């Protein structure tokens, strides 16, 4: 037997899912995250899941991992000290940026600019110049560059080096030569050049992206190397580690260490991949996802079983040119702290979180402040009178004491305060869902709503009522769905080229020839990781705009579609998307800014998995009687064991369904049905 392991590190818990590649049998585990070193939590989880499933770790051949190491390095400012080499005269590129101050008309008065990731004192200029057409205008002055680099190296504090020259996206010859010269003074220092990291136009964005790659590169490289070595000790030397990319694909450990800027949104992308995996098999191609964990909630829109991908990634104040699944995040999680400001006396929830330590009060790990999790315990949505899935113990008295603080601060009753906390956090998530649907021109009623994460199924039914997106889908193992997404994702890479060509001036054959060249470049990374060309799946993208616009829309297509429909395919799809977003289309003046090839390794099939006990009746699945508080009154409920539920079984609300990694609440007036994949489909009762 061979197994693959998906691992997702969150702010509160580390989730693991072990899959038998022959039978589809799965095993899950959750362990507390270890913020001081997330690899410790990963290894703790691997030992736990292998011990509980009685599987030899050496039977696991592939480990797929969603990580926040790169994200945390940017957010906390703990990245490398970066040196920057630019074209002489452009040393201030990062400082000038786009001359934009966030805020209103007077934003410049209060705006305090954060320190540059590559400070000016560590920036040098090289005498060289490449023209906009790729011709060499001024040759690289190698002697002067060598002297400047020696002076920079003499400081002794440079941990990563970035090289970004003007117009290098057209011709990277000078950057490659500068890297060779830099190796003389920086032999052991990682060096990133913009023509390889992001060969795209716009000087500031290209510089910022390459600098961020350098900024997080040493930290990510250390993490990947240490984890790879630890996995080899535990699982054998032939274990293959892959890291989830921001765009939902996988990258090998080697590629992740070299280009970590593509990992900034690694964590949220796993949940989207897992949701698509289950929902597509159940016949739901258009879905809204919300992943509610302990610290935050991530939401996304999926259309035609494809996640929307942005061509930029935003982390804090840093905006880089790297593809990422279009996920919006709000500070609303199970650990979000509720508080009442002294001035307004108005209840607030989040974004501050109790995290893994001390955690919500009910976990008895030192937390005393009221959290969303504690409110769920007080209301009975998280029952304290029965052992829930996993090994976490719930202490209702501690939750009552915590929520009572908020109630006393507002002068209201305990249950009213608890229900207020839940309604506020639900509205916060509803607002995020509107960002990816209504504000993008989509009606949420045309989509199904998928709730997952450790806390998502608790709130899914309520969010279904707010969005009117039915059915509400709870996939199998919702609390570890991000890990499932990691385990079922394909290794991929891409190559891009700035095009700047009017569609009317281009022929089908020329575009196809240029795309094939990019396909070869993108495939080289997979070949370097031992994936033969015969195992590659290729798709293409083009970024289009109407001439004169300042933004673009990405169009996806494959070679067969291009051969069949020609350039009209790109134009037609762009017009349709533009009309969807902005209610109009021009029908002419289409400009192609970028083209790219995306190469994926063919996915290894995972066998179907069994769903529940086919002979069980709803009564056979009841494990306890309880009650919960909803809309100002108590309701008697049955608690069901999800592991016993089978296809076609109908659970009428009010009800609670528990499993190892999460708890699902079915509200009064609603019902949950189990489909053939094992999803719970919650709908209003007719």
């Amino acid at each position: 037997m061979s197994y693959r392991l998906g691992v997702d590190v969150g702010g509160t818990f580390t989730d693991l899912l072990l899959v038998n590649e022959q039978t589809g049998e799965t095993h899950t585990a959750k362990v507390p995250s270890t913020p001081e070193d997330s690899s410790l939590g990963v290894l703790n989880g691997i030992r736990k899941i292998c011990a509980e499933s009685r599987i030899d770790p050496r039977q696991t051949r592939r480990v797929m991992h969603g990580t926040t190491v790169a994200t945390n390095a940017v957010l906390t400012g703990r990245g490398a000290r970066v040196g920057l080499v630019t074209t002489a005269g452009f040393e201030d590129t990062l400082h000038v940026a786009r001359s934009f101050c966030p805020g209103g008309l007077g934003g410049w008065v209060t705006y305090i600019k954060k320190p540059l990731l590559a400070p000016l004192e560590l920036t040098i200029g090289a005498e060289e110049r490449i023209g906009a057409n790729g011709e060499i205008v001024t040759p690289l002055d190698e002697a002067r560059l060598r002297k400047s680099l020696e002076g920079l190296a003499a400081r002794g504090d440079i941990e990563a080096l970035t090289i970004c020259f003007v117009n290098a996206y057209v011709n990277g010859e000078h950057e490659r030569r500068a890297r060779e010269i830099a190796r003389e003074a920086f032999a052991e220092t990682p060096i990133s050049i913009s023509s390889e990291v992001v060969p795209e136009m716009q000087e500031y964005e290209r510089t910022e992206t390459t600098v961020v790659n350098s900024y997080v590169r040493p930290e990510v490289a250390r993490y990947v190397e240490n984890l790879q070595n630890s996995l080899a000790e535990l699982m054998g030397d032939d274990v293959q580690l892959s890291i989830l990319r921001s765009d939902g694909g996988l990258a090998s450990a080697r590629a992740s260490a070299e280009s970590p800027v593509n990992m900034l949104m690694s964590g949220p992308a796993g949940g989207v991949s897992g949701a698509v995996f289950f929902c597509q098999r159940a016949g739901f191609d258009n879905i809204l996802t919300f992943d509610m964990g302990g610290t935050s909630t991530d939401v996304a829109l999926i259309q035609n079983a494809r996640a929307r991908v942005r061509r930029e990634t935003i982390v804090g104040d840093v905006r880089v040119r790297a593809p990422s699944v279009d996920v919006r995040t709000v500070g609303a999680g199970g650990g979000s702290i509720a508080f009442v400001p002294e001035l307004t006396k108005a209840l607030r929830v989040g974004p501050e979180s109790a995290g893994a330590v001390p955690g919500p009060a009910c976990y008895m790990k030192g937390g005393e402040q009221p959290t969303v999790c504690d409110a769920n315990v007080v209301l009975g949505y998280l029952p304290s009178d029965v052992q829930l899935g996993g090994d976490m113990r719930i202490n209702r008295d501690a939750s009552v004491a915590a929520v009572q603080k908020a109630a006393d601060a507002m002068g209201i009753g305990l249950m009213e305060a608890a229900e207020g906390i839940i309604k506020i956090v639900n509205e916060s998530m509803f607002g995020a869902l509107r960002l990816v649907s209504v504000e993008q021109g989509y009606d949420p009623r045309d989509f199904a709503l998928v709730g997952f994460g450790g806390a998502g199924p608790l709130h899914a039914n309520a969010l279904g009522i707010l969005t009117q997106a039915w059915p509400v889908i709870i996939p199998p193992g919702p609390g570890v769905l991000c890990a499932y997404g990691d385990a079922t994702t394909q290794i991929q890479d891409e190559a891009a080229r700035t095009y700047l060509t009017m569609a009317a001036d281009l022929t089908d054959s020329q575009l196809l020839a240029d795309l094939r060249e990019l396909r070869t470049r993108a495939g080289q990374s997979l070949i370097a990781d031992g994936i033969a060309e015969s195992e590659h799946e290729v798709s293409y993208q083009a970024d289009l705009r109407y001439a004169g616009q300042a933004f673009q829309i990405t169009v996806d297509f494959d070679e067969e579609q291009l051969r069949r429909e020609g350039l009209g395919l790109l134009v037609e799809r762009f017009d349709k998307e533009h009309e969807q977003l902005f209610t109009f289309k021009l029908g002419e003046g289409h400009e192609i800014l970028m083209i790219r090839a995306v190469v994926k390794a063919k996915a290894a099939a995972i066998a179907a998995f069994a769903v529940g006990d086919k002979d069980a009746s709803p009564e056979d699945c009841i494990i306890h009687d309880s009650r919960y508080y909803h809309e100002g009154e108590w309701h008697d409920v049955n608690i069901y064991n999800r592991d016993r539920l089978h296809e076609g079984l109908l659970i009428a609300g009010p009800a609670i369904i528990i499993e190892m990694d999460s708890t699902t609440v079915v509200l009064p007036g609603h019902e949950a049905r189990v489909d053939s994949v094992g999803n719970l489909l919650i709908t209003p009762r007719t």
Side-chain angles (χ1 to χ4, degrees):
M1 290 290 184
S2 62
Y3 293 82
R4 67 174 68 181
L5 179 68
V7 183
D8 179 74
V9 177
T12 306
F13 289 103
T14 294
D15 305 327
L16 301 96
L17 183 132
L18 191 63
V19 183
N20 186 314
E21 294 185 316
Q22 282 73 46
T23 66
E25 180 186 12
T26 61
H27 304 274
T28 60
K30 291 177 82 77
V31 296
S33 293
T34 50
E36 69 281 2
D37 182 356
S38 56
S39 66
L40 297 177
V42 173
L43 296 172
N44 291 339
I46 292 174
R47 295 186 185 96
K48 178 179 179 179
I49 197 170
C50 289
E52 292 181 348
S53 61
R54 298 181 181 179
I55 293 172
D56 185 348
R58 294 181 178 271
Q59 290 182 276
T60 302
R61 293 291 174 261
R62 300 183 64 190
V63 176
M64 289 88 147
H65 180 24
T67 177
T68 56
V69 172
T71 312
N72 292 340
V74 173
L75 291 176
T76 61
R78 294 203 304 262
R81 191 157 174 79
V82 181
L84 174 61
V85 184
T86 70
T87 300
F90 288 80
E91 293 89 347
D92 292 324
T93 296
L94 288 182
H95 188 71
V96 175
R98 285 296 175 194
S99 301
F100 171 73
C101 294
L105 293 175
W108 60 274
V109 177
T110 57
Y111 178 53
I112 300 176
K113 191 168 187 175
K114 290 188 176 181
L116 301 178
L117 298 184
L120 289 173
E121 65 267 23
L122 301 183
T123 301
I124 60 175
E127 287 293 339
E128 69 83 38
R129 189 60 182 260
I130 299 288
N133 58 0
E135 294 181 357
I136 296 177
V137 177
T138 303
L140 177 64
D141 188 333
E142 297 187 6
R144 179 175 174 178
L145 175 61
R146 186 175 283 107
K147 183 177 180 180
S148 297
L149 286 168
E150 289 172 353
L152 196 61
R155 296 177 55 98
D157 59 348
I158 303 295
E159 298 173 301
L161 188 68
T162 298
I163 301 174
C164 186
F165 293 156
V166 169
N167 295 325
Y169 67 91
V170 183
N171 181 353
E173 179 182 342
H174 281 177
E175 284 192 348
R176 290 190 292 271
R177 179 56 185 153
R179 178 170 57 184
E180 293 174 3
I181 296 171
R183 288 288 181 209
E184 300 171 9
F186 294 91
E188 303 299 324
T189 303
I191 302 174
S192 300
I193 64 175
S194 72
S195 55
E196 292 181 357
V197 174
V198 53
E200 300 183 14
M201 64 177 187
Q202 296 185 318
E203 193 67 18
Y204 165 66
E205 285 79 5
R206 184 158 51 87
T207 305
E208 177 82 338
T209 300
T210 314
V211 165
V212 171
N213 192 74
S214 294
Y215 186 73
V216 301
R217 189 171 174 179
E219 181 78 10
V220 172
R222 281 193 297 270
Y223 176 79
V224 170
E225 181 181 3
N226 292 339
L227 183 58
Q228 181 78 67
N229 292 337
S230 299
L231 292 175
E233 292 179 8
L234 190 62
M235 299 177 166
D237 294 333
D238 58 346
V239 64
Q240 179 184 352
L241 173 65
S242 301
I243 307 295
L244 193 69
R245 293 163 48 105
S246 301
D247 58 8
L250 283 172
S252 67
R254 176 199 60 80
S256 302
E258 291 180 358
S259 191
V261 73
N262 291 313
M263 314 297 156
L264 289 175
M265 293 294 285
S266 172
V272 172
S273 299
V276 172
F277 179 84
F278 280 104
C279 292
Q280 187 177 18
R281 282 156 180 76
F284 297 97
D285 292 338
N286 298 327
I287 57 176
L288 293 169
T289 71
F290 83 98
D291 173 9
M292 185 178 183
T295 305
S296 61
T297 294
D298 303 314
V299 304
L301 182 143
I302 313 297
Q303 191 174 32
N304 299 322
R306 293 177 65 92
R308 297 174 65 87
V309 175
R310 293 183 293 184
R311 299 313 305 175
E312 64 180 12
T313 301
I314 304 171
V315 177
D317 293 336
V318 175
R319 183 188 299 260
V320 300
R321 282 285 178 84
S324 64
V325 174
D326 189 7
V327 172
R328 308 299 173 92
T329 302
V330 291
S336 293
I337 295 172
F339 62 99
V340 182
E342 183 66 29
L343 180 63
T344 64
K345 297 295 183 179
L347 180 63
R348 302 283 299 276
V349 181
E352 186 180 354
S353 172
V357 179
C362 62
Y363 290 156
M364 298 300 291
K365 295 170 66 177
E368 296 181 349
Q369 294 179 286
T371 66
V372 172
C373 181
D374 292 312
N376 277 312
V377 172
V378 170
L379 294 171
Y381 296 150
L382 269 178
S384 58
D385 51 354
V386 62
Q387 176 61 45
L388 300 177
D391 51 14
M392 296 297 292
R393 295 283 180 178
I394 300 294
N395 187 310
R396 188 175 189 276
D397 292 339
S399 291
V400 168
V403 176
Q404 189 66 56
K405 296 177 182 177
D408 292 343
M410 293 184 290
I412 61 176
L414 172 68
M415 305 310 296
E416 187 180 357
E419 199 159 33
I421 292 171
I422 299 302
K423 288 184 176 181
I424 288 175
V425 79
N426 286 345
E427 288 290 345
S428 178
M429 292 186 287
F430 178 42
L433 286 166
R434 287 177 57 88
L435 286 177
V436 297
S437 57
V438 176
E439 293 196 14
Q440 298 293 323
Y442 296 97
D443 189 336
R445 293 172 294 185
D446 296 332
F447 294 77
L449 178 66
V450 187
F452 53 95
L458 282 167
H459 299 256
N461 199 161
L463 279 176
I465 295 172
L466 290 173
T467 61
Q468 289 297 296
W470 304 107
V472 170
I473 303 173
I474 311 297
V480 295
L481 192 71
C482 289
Y484 213 118
D486 298 342
T488 56
T489 304
Q490 302 157 271
I491 291 178
Q492 76 176 52
D493 203 353
E494 66 176 49
R497 169 184 166 184
T498 298
Y499 218 50
L500 291 177
T501 303
M502 298 300 293
D505 299 332
L506 188 63
T507 64
D508 296 350
S509 58
Q510 180 61 53
L511 177 60
L512 186 57
D514 293 336
L515 288 169
R516 284 177 171 172
E517 180 184 337
L518 293 176
R519 178 184 66 185
T520 301
R521 280 174 44 196
Q524 289 173 351
S525 176
L526 276 69
I527 292 173
D529 294 324
I531 302 171
E533 189 172 354
S534 59
E535 296 297 312
H536 296 183
E537 294 179 351
V538 184
S539 61
Y540 299 113
Q541 296 176 340
D543 297 344
L544 284 81
R545 68 181 179 186
Y546 294 125
Q549 283 185 321
F551 61 90
Q552 61 269 359
I553 294 174
T554 300
V555 173
D556 297 278
F557 59 98
D558 58 37
E559 185 168 328
E560 181 182 348
Q561 291 171 330
L562 181 61
R563 285 181 175 277
R564 186 174 61 248
E565 302 180 43
L567 277 164
L569 166 74
L570 278 62
V571 170
E572 181 181 344
R573 292 189 177 181
F574 169 81
D575 283 343
K576 183 178 180 181
E577 180 72 8
H578 195 280
E579 187 173 25
Q580 171 76 45
L581 291 172
F582 306 109
T583 72
F584 75 94
K585 60 182 179 181
L586 299 181
E588 60 182 12
H590 301 86
E591 184 178 19
I592 302 176
L593 275 72
M594 297 284 302
I595 57 173
R596 67 182 61 83
V598 181
V599 180
K600 299 181 179 181
K602 290 182 180 178
I606 295 180
F609 41 86
V611 180
D613 180 359
K614 64 180 181 180
D615 296 323
S617 66
E619 290 72 23
D620 295 331
C621 303
I622 297 174
I623 60 174
H624 197 71
D625 295 328
S626 187
R627 63 176 189 158
Y628 63 55
Y629 190 86
H630 175 69
E631 295 296 342
E633 60 180 294
W634 288 99
H635 299 266
D636 293 326
V637 302
N638 293 321
I639 300 178
Y640 296 84
N641 183 347
R642 185 169 182 177
D643 293 338
R644 300 179 189 174
L645 303 182
H646 59 82
E647 181 182 357
L649 211 58
L650 196 66
I651 304 299
I656 295 174
I657 303 170
I658 66 170
E659 52 195 306
M660 187 286 296
D661 50 279
S662 191
T663 300
T664 301
V665 171
V666 183
L667 295 176
H670 296 77
E671 58 190 18
R673 178 176 59 85
V674 184
D675 69 8
S676 60
V677 180
N679 296 309
L680 291 175
L681 307 181
I682 302 175
T683 56
R685 191 180 307 149
T686 56

